[in-house]
Amino acid sequence: MNKVLVAEDNILKQNNIKDILKSHNIAFKLVETYSDCWKILYYDHSDYNRLILDMSMPRYKDDDKIYKFAGLDILKRLYYSKINIPTIILTGHVQFTVDKIINDIDSVINMIEKDDRISNAKVIRYDTKSTLWEKEIISFIIGKELKWEF
């Protein structure tokens, strides 16, 4: 049985992800902060065979500040800790502004794909107007391409 760690702070996205995973009988644990995600990955990573990771989330519970590249930082920490877990970065943002520099989603995807420290990671765009992201997540979790009827 698959068990997925979901790191997501947005309630709407959480509920949509939970609905998808439950409808496919996939076990999961949900965390909402960077620190909770990293703590579980560091100490209990063998309990999970997939990770759904938000690109931006707060560092700590009740923290008002959002860490813009939390997902990217976690991927790098996984590498340095020699933890190999296939990961989906699920983001609804089309751009990220860090230090007054605007990074569009395509440049972020390119940065992730070209970083040798990041493997087993794929960026999926979250869009409530489409079901493509849902199909990509299920395909990623069960480990094979799915055929979809339209």
Side-chain angles (χ1 to χ4, degrees):
M1 177 183 217
N2 291 313
K3 187 165 182 190
V4 179
L5 177 62
V6 178
E8 176 59 61
D9 63 314
N10 179 285
I11 299 297
L12 177 62
K13 276 173 64 179
Q14 284 178 9
N15 290 335
N16 288 335
I17 293 167
K18 288 191 290 187
D19 289 345
I20 294 164
L21 298 178
K22 286 177 183 177
S23 72
H24 287 83
N25 296 317
I26 297 170
F28 65 91
K29 177 172 181 70
L30 175 70
V31 295
E32 296 182 343
T33 66
Y34 171 93
S35 60
D36 288 342
C37 179
W38 179 245
K39 183 170 43 174
I40 288 172
L41 288 170
Y42 188 76
Y43 292 107
D44 300 323
H45 62 271
S46 61
D47 293 346
Y48 301 91
N49 59 354
R50 297 286 189 271
L51 171 62
I52 298 174
L53 184 59
D54 191 11
M55 181 65 87
S56 302
M57 63 185 126
R59 287 185 189 266
Y60 307 101
K61 192 164 186 74
D62 300 323
D63 187 356
D64 291 338
K65 293 182 182 177
I66 297 295
Y67 180 22
K68 299 279 185 180
F69 286 114
L72 185 59
D73 190 58
I74 285 175
L75 290 172
K76 289 177 182 178
R77 290 182 82 170
L78 288 170
Y79 170 81
Y80 289 118
S81 300
K82 296 183 177 18
I83 298 170
N84 187 12
I85 182 169
T87 303
I88 285 286
I89 296 176
L90 185 63
T91 186
H93 295 287
V94 293
Q95 66 183 21
F96 297 87
T97 304
V98 178
D99 297 329
K100 298 183 182 178
I101 298 171
I102 297 173
N103 300 280
D104 67 17
I105 189 65
D106 292 326
S107 65
V108 173
I109 291 170
N110 191 36
M111 179 177 42
I112 290 169
E113 289 175 348
K114 289 187 176 188
D115 193 322
D116 291 339
R117 296 168 294 181
I118 299 172
S119 62
N120 283 337
K122 178 180 179 181
V123 178
I124 294 179
R125 295 179 186 170
Y126 173 81
D127 181 0
T128 56
K129 297 175 186 168
S130 170
T131 59
L132 181 60
W133 68 272
E134 299 173 18
K135 296 168 187 169
E136 289 182 285
I137 284 177
I138 295 304
S139 177
F140 164 77
I141 291 170
I142 65 172
K144 63 180 178 180
E145 291 295 319
L146 300 177
K147 295 186 179 181
W148 301 96
E149 305 261 336
F150 295 97

